[in-house]
Amino acid sequence: METVPQFGLMVHKGTDMRENFSKKIKYIYFKTSVVMLFFGALFLPSLTFFEHTGDNMFDVYLNGTLVGQVTDEETAKRLVTKARYEVAGESEDLVFMKTELSMVGKEVLFGEVSREKDVIGLMKGVMDHSREDTMEHAYTVKINNFTVNLSDMEQVQQLLQAAVNKYDSTDSYGVEMVQDTGRELNVLTTNVYSEIEAQEEESQEKKADADASNLPSFGVFAFFKDAAEAARVEEEKDLSEYNRGLIHMNFGDTVEIVESYMPKSHLSSLETAIEEVTKDQETNKIYEVVAGDTLGEIAEAHNMSIADVVAMNGTLENENSTIRVGDELIISVPEPELSVEREEELYYEEDYDADIVYIDNDDWYTTDQVTRQQPSAGHRRVVAIVSYRNDSVVNTEIIKEEVDMEAVAKVVERGTKIPPTYIRPISGGRLSSGFGGRKAPKRGASTNHKGIDLATPTGTAVMASCGGTVTRAGWAGSYGYAVYIQHPDGRETRYGHLSKVLVSAGQQVSQGQKIALSGNTGNSTGPHLHFEIRINGAPVNPLNYLN
């Protein structure tokens, strides 16, 4: 009976002992944690306590690579700037590198931030990995859409001088760089100058100043001075005094020069730049046709074949295609990237033709002309200012000439009236038989067709192709019922195989006026209109004259 209570008592005491032990363990763990946190805060500066204020710790990424943790965004920006300075300071050249900074924020109670020198070290490693080629100081020369890069201004000077020297055999012209006052940025442009012209202008200015200082320019002195100037007649030069050669030069394209920085691999050598800028390149230009031009002459003048001119212009079918004054043709012209324009004063002798003399006749059509006097070439000695663009002559101005033999002009009488036009005599219709030789469609039909046949139902309205006078209206043998019309330009049109004639001989008709109905009369194989155009009584192909 006594053993049971003792057993129960023993169990109760064991439970209390375990609870007490557990409490001691928790207390010791808590004390240890507090002590560790205390010593961590004391001896680990990177361990930081935070308050609940939103994002208070940031993972920092440079170019997508994690480089550490900081407490705020401004710190990250400051560190990347410091890292960039340190990397740039390690090189004497201009350094370009990729520095894309990004941060991911989070809120923590406490955490470890990275030491600044560690973050800077990682950032420098990322920057070195993304460093671009070393950028060098250079000069970019821009000519229209072409650019070339050179290492210094001396090479720019030599490049531009090479373009001038190509056409200046006397080394009289130089190139200077001047500020482009029309640009806000620091852009240089060019000026081609002549030492001789500069010296002459300076001499003339000094002479003018001396003259002005020797004679008072007021009162009676001014009157006599002005009178002397007005009476002064410049002595006429002899031809031999004009032969000066090159008198003016400039670039034909706008040149712009700007300072720049770029990888060394983007720079051109001086030799390569001169080759690219001065070598002729095939360039397409527009040529406007002038009176007297032919395709052959245009091709020859531009060192092209007629086939090449035709191939470059879709409006031309072949070498026999018609060209008219004012037409624009694409031609190929050899030109360098930098064109040079120059003027030369030249003496030469030549045979020359006088300008054609035209006599207008208001009673003639513009297609009519007659030569009244044959030309004869003359001979003259000339001094002229010839303008060039590269190797091509663009203008010649004769400033003095001595004629040894006068040229005789060609005299041409020409018409001024616009000739009449010709329209299709019916609306629609199918071409069933063309002009010229053919197999006879039936017995008695001609094998040499003098017009064209337009298949159309009987009763189709037939209009006058051109205005004129009806010379025949009625039955005309194999034509069946027909109408003949005489036109002011001397041509005649005929309309055959009609079913009904609506006009009479001697009647005046206008272009497009209804004159008959189509049919199938005479020597005909089916309903159609036979249509002719005759010039001086001879039939021609109407399709060549219809508008």
Side-chain angles (χ1 to χ4, degrees), residues 9 53 66 101 103 110 147 157 171 175 179 238 275 302 314 323 345 381 396 401 431-432 453-454 472 518 520 539:
L9 181 60
T53 57
L66 180 64
L101 185 68
M103 286 165 277
F110 62 88
T147 59
Q157 179 78 38
D171 295 332
V175 182
Q179 186 72 36
D238 185 75
E275 173 77 6
H302 296 92
I323 56 174
E345 191 174 82
R381 290 170 290 154
T396 299
E401 67 175 350
L431 181 65
S432 57
D453 289 343
L454 300 172
R472 185 167 185 169
S518 67
N520 189 28

Side-chain angles (χ1 to χ4, degrees), residues 467-478:
T469 304
V470 178
T471 58
R472 185 167 185 169
W475 189 260
S478 62

Side-chain angles (χ1 to χ4, degrees), residues 58-118:
F58 296 85
D59 291 332
V60 182
Y61 294 85
L62 185 62
N63 298 344
T65 301
L66 180 64
V67 293
Q69 291 77 31
V70 297
T71 58
D72 58 79
E73 296 181 359
E74 292 303 319
T75 299
K77 295 176 180 178
R78 176 173 57 81
L79 296 181
V80 76
T81 300
K82 188 173 182 180
R84 188 186 294 113
Y85 278 126
E86 290 187 11
V87 171
E90 295 171 358
S91 173
E92 296 181 357
D93 298 316
L94 189 63
V95 178
F96 283 79
M97 63 196 77
K98 181 181 177 182
T99 53
E100 294 182 358
L101 185 68
S102 61
M103 286 165 277
V104 178
K106 54 188 174 182
E107 183 180 22
V108 297
L109 180 60
F110 62 88
E112 183 178 1
V113 296
S114 304
R115 292 185 299 179
E116 289 192 0
K117 67 176 184 178
D118 294 337

Side-chain angles (χ1 to χ4, degrees), residues 14-44:
T15 301
D16 291 340
M17 290 177 64
R18 285 196 297 270
E19 290 178 354
N20 291 335
F21 180 74
S22 176
K23 290 179 180 179
K24 288 181 178 181
I25 292 297
K26 291 180 179 179
Y27 178 71
I28 292 170
Y29 176 78
F30 177 74
K31 288 177 63 178
T32 302
S33 299
V34 171
V35 171
M36 290 179 66
L37 289 173
F38 174 77
F39 280 100
L42 187 63
F43 297 104
L44 297 175

Side-chain angles (χ1 to χ4, degrees), residues 148-208:
V148 63
N149 305 308
L150 296 170
S151 60
D152 54 58
M153 185 58 78
E154 182 179 354
Q155 288 191 348
V156 174
Q157 179 78 38
Q158 293 178 21
L159 168 65
L160 299 174
Q161 190 65 48
V164 168
N165 291 345
K166 184 177 178 181
Y167 304 101
D168 177 21
S169 59
T170 61
D171 295 332
S172 302
Y173 286 81
V175 182
E176 62 181 353
M177 264 64 73
V178 295
Q179 186 72 36
D180 188 347
T181 56
R183 303 287 294 273
E184 295 181 2
L185 300 177
N186 187 25
V187 178
L188 298 177
T189 187
T190 57
N191 178 49
V192 180
Y193 65 93
S194 168
E195 292 288 351
I196 297 176
E197 289 180 2
Q199 293 172 1
E200 289 180 351
E201 290 179 2
E202 183 178 357
S203 176
Q204 290 175 358
E205 289 176 0
K206 288 181 178 180
K207 185 177 183 302

